[in-house]
Amino acid sequence: MPSVAIQPTFEAWQAAARLLLAEGASPDTVEWREAADAATPAAALPGGARVPRQFLDVARQAAGASDPTRWAVLYTVLWRLVHESRELLADTRDPDVRRLNGLAAQGRRETQQAEMQAVLALEQAGGGAAPFVPKGAGLDDLRAAGARCEGCDLFRRATQMVFGRGPADARVVLVGEQPGDQEDLKGAPFVGPAGEVLDRALAEVGLDRRQVYVTNAVKHFSFVERGKRRIHQTPRLPEIAACRPWLEAELDVIKPAILGCLGATAARAILGPDFRLLRQHGQFFATRWSPKTIATLHPSAVLRGQDDAEQARLYAMLRDDLRVIATAA
Ligand code: URA
Ligand code: SF4
């Protein structure tokens, strides 16, 4: 039986699973082992099997559980999705699907606990970006100081800190999640594919991007390498907490009339962990940063829509919420 050693991360499992799938290795012939020093296989062949996005989401959560059998469960479900039915996850009474869902729930719980502990440890140690943020500084001095931030580990691998961009007297501030690959290279927010979607929607509702201040909740790019590509990784709570002093300093300077959160990460950072984007988008709430704080979809979510119809629906949601901002501005 082939024994596959992987580092205990979702990305390492995914890379190994793709290779096994391409080789046609059925789940009952594979034994998974965890090894901290295992090599992650290089990029799997492009054009590999497409699996439903829902599986990737649930699998990522399950990978966060401490149960050592999770890798085998993940591979079994992946195999069955590809060889049996793409609709397998809808069968919630299927024993493999139940185990997967149970592991995902455990993973969510454990990840949340670990993140809370990391945030508390950060606060107790006086860590994060706070020591790097000059008190009472304007945007130019903040940006210059940002280049030296070592408030979390993200600065080590990214090209540069991507500070917000726009006028200090902007009435509208938009907060995204974190720079992507293009932003990391160019040093400005929303200048890649997500930025194109944002620009199009802003233009459609008559908001001039040059008059809007655009920034991110986390200011260094975070990624995993897959072959030559750098795949964006959603920032974790400790990184959001570490980077928060920069965002607060920007908002203190600008004092926006309207503060728009693009996506769940920014919404959680500003409107709190209980905020539910799909239910509460497009409505104003008062926060300590702006009497009119509002959240909408992240432009990248539009690009991730499964087909043209889905993308059009998501785009309309983003645009209509931005129109609420434009009208109030
Ligand atoms: N996604 C973001 O959240 N921010 C950017 O700047 C680019 C992509
Ligand atoms: Fe500092 Fe934020 Fe970069 Fe972390 S992500 S190093 S806190 S600027």
Side-chain angles (χ1 to χ4, degrees), residues 162 175-184 188-195 209 214-218 232 262 298-300:
V162 179
V175 183
E177 180 178 287
Q178 181 175 40
D181 180 73
Q182 296 287 314
E183 288 79 14
D184 172 73
F190 283 99
V191 291
R209 164 112 180 225
V214 180
T215 189
N216 284 299
V218 174
H232 163 262
L262 302 175
H298 194 289
S300 296

Side-chain angles (χ1 to χ4, degrees), residues 1 25 43 58 70 95 115 127-128 152 206-207 233-235 249 261 271 305 319:
M1 175 171 315
V58 178
R70 63 201 184 285
E115 288 184 340
C152 73
L207 271 174
Q233 260 194 319
T234 303
C261 309
L271 288 154
R319 180 203 54 208

Side-chain angles (χ1 to χ4, degrees), residues 231-247:
I231 312 286
H232 163 262
Q233 260 194 319
T234 303
R236 313 186 62 85
L237 208 53
E239 291 152 1
I240 298 168
C243 209
R244 192 185 179 89
W246 290 117
L247 180 60

Side-chain angles (χ1 to χ4, degrees), residues 162-167 170-174 183 187-216 262 299 322:
V162 179
F163 202 73
R165 184 185 263 192
R171 284 180 53 75
V172 177
V173 170
L174 295 178
E183 288 79 14
F190 283 99
V191 291
E196 279 175 34
V197 175
L198 179 63
D199 286 346
R200 186 177 139 216
L202 286 175
E204 224 186 301
V205 302
L207 271 174
D208 184 349
R209 164 112 180 225
R210 288 164 305 181
Q211 292 179 10
V212 173
Y213 186 89
V214 180
T215 189
N216 284 299
L262 302 175
L322 290 177

Side-chain angles (χ1 to χ4, degrees), residues 128-129 132 146 149-155 161 178 217-220 239 242-244 246:
F132 300 90
C149 185
E150 299 184 358
C152 73
D153 275 341
L154 293 186
F155 81 93
M161 198 253 207
Q178 181 175 40
V218 174
K219 290 179 168 55
H220 272 106
E239 291 152 1
C243 209
R244 192 185 179 89
W246 290 117

